[in-house]
Amino acid sequence: MKIALYSDIHAQLAPLNAVLEDIDKENVDHEVIIGDMIMGGPEPSEVLERIRGREKAIPLLGNFDRWVMNRVDEQENPFPHRNESIRLTREHLADGQVDWLKTLFCSITLSPEPGHDFLIFHGTPNDDNGALPLRLTDDEVRERLGGVTAEIMAVGQVHAPYIRQVGDQTLVCSAAVGACYDGDSRPAYSVVEYLGDGNWNAEIKRVSYDNEAQAKLNEEGWHPGGERQAITIRTGVHWNPDGPPH
């Protein structure tokens, strides 16, 4: 079993197309989108339609997708500065796209053989607003995993791809497509392959595309904060000098 994994597209179509072009060369069995397909960019409807057209795609919800889908902007929430972005993203979706989001799950377990589980989720197993950044200690990671026993896990959210071992478990961060925060402006995805007998191989992939054109599209678009997102798209560094949110 060979799986491509990508996440945190944030309504950016050009980097998604670049990643998908590369994935098409990998001959994978499945491609799992680990959430945050929309919100944070000017092309939410286009991104969803692109994903819906992928025969092998298994899309999962991220926290941004859920916020838009559940109209969190119309409720009390801890991030009122996001409300305009949530509302405008929903208004820019095509008919039926919110209903399609409602059919998706937040996580999936793939098991190529009994007892060899690959768990995939956006933030942490029990919280799509949570995250597993690389700066966490092994003990902190275990606490956030909450006793999950899968041999290997893939996550999004953090916007800085990595592969790390936590004891006998492998953790793969596959983010991000839309904009990375690790100093590399190229979109990232991962490929995980089960080799048999409990052996897994994981690899981070990067692709190039015209990020300057995408940055300008964000600066000139309707989405709130597009000029800030453009900085990250150009540089691979979070626009906030105090650091990214996770």
Side-chain angles (χ1 to χ4, degrees):
M1 181 185 288
K2 187 177 184 182
I3 310 111
L5 305 112
Y6 54 97
S7 75
D8 296 85
I9 303 160
H10 290 294
Q12 310 285 346
L13 184 61
L16 173 62
N17 283 336
V19 165
L20 295 181
E21 182 179 354
D22 212 53
I23 288 174
D24 285 341
K25 304 171 187 175
E26 291 287 339
N27 192 30
V28 299
D29 299 296
H30 307 287
E31 56 184 76
V32 182
I33 303 94
I34 321 177
D36 280 9
M37 295 172 281
I38 58 174
M39 197 174 136
E43 301 162 295
S45 181
E46 296 88 339
V47 162
L48 291 187
E49 283 309 297
R50 187 77 168 94
I51 291 170
R52 291 174 74 178
R54 300 287 292 179
E55 181 181 356
K56 297 179 180 179
I58 304 173
L60 302 176
L61 291 172
N63 53 326
F64 277 26
D65 309 315
R66 180 177 56 79
W67 294 352
V68 173
M69 177 183 77
N70 288 344
R71 309 180 79 95
V72 171
D73 53 303
E74 298 176 358
Q75 309 163 27
E76 279 196 30
N77 64 66
F79 34 80
H81 61 289
R82 300 279 197 183
N83 286 349
E84 184 182 16
S85 176
I86 297 169
R87 176 181 60 81
L88 287 174
T89 295
R90 190 170 54 251
E91 290 176 358
H92 279 82
L93 293 179
D95 290 345
Q97 288 183 329
V98 170
D99 289 336
W100 177 76
L101 288 173
K102 291 178 180 179
T103 69
L104 304 182
F105 295 100
C106 295
S107 66
I108 189 171
T109 299
L110 301 177
S111 303
E113 293 179 346
H116 301 293
D117 294 339
F118 182 13
L119 175 62
I120 306 165
F121 51 88
H122 181 68
T124 67
N126 298 309
D127 183 8
D128 62 8
N129 288 323
L132 295 169
L134 191 56
R135 61 177 170 76
L136 296 181
T137 66
D138 285 1
D139 285 342
E140 288 171 328
V141 170
R142 290 189 187 97
E143 182 179 359
R144 295 192 186 190
L145 290 177
V148 165
T149 59
E151 287 180 334
I152 184 168
M153 290 161 276
V155 302
Q157 187 81 299
V158 178
H159 290 243
Y162 66 77
I163 301 170
R164 82 180 271 186
Q165 286 296 127
V166 179
D168 59 358
Q169 294 176 296
T170 302
L171 188 59
V172 181
C173 179
S174 301
V177 171
C180 286
Y181 303 160
D182 63 344
D184 188 335
S185 61
R186 295 175 299 164
Y189 73 99
S190 68
V191 175
V192 173
E193 187 171 7
Y194 184 68
L195 306 176
D197 297 323
N199 296 308
W200 299 83
N201 182 70
E203 186 177 1
I204 300 294
K205 305 271 190 174
R206 309 294 290 242
V207 300
S208 298
Y209 81 111
D210 188 353
N211 61 325
E212 178 58 30
Q214 193 67 19
K216 288 180 179 177
L217 185 65
N218 278 260
E219 288 175 327
E220 298 167 0
W222 55 267
H223 193 270
E227 70 287 347
R228 297 193 299 268
Q229 187 73 295
I231 294 171
T232 305
I233 290 170
R234 286 189 175 103
T235 65
V237 177
H238 193 264
W239 59 268
N240 186 341
D242 294 330
H246 304 298

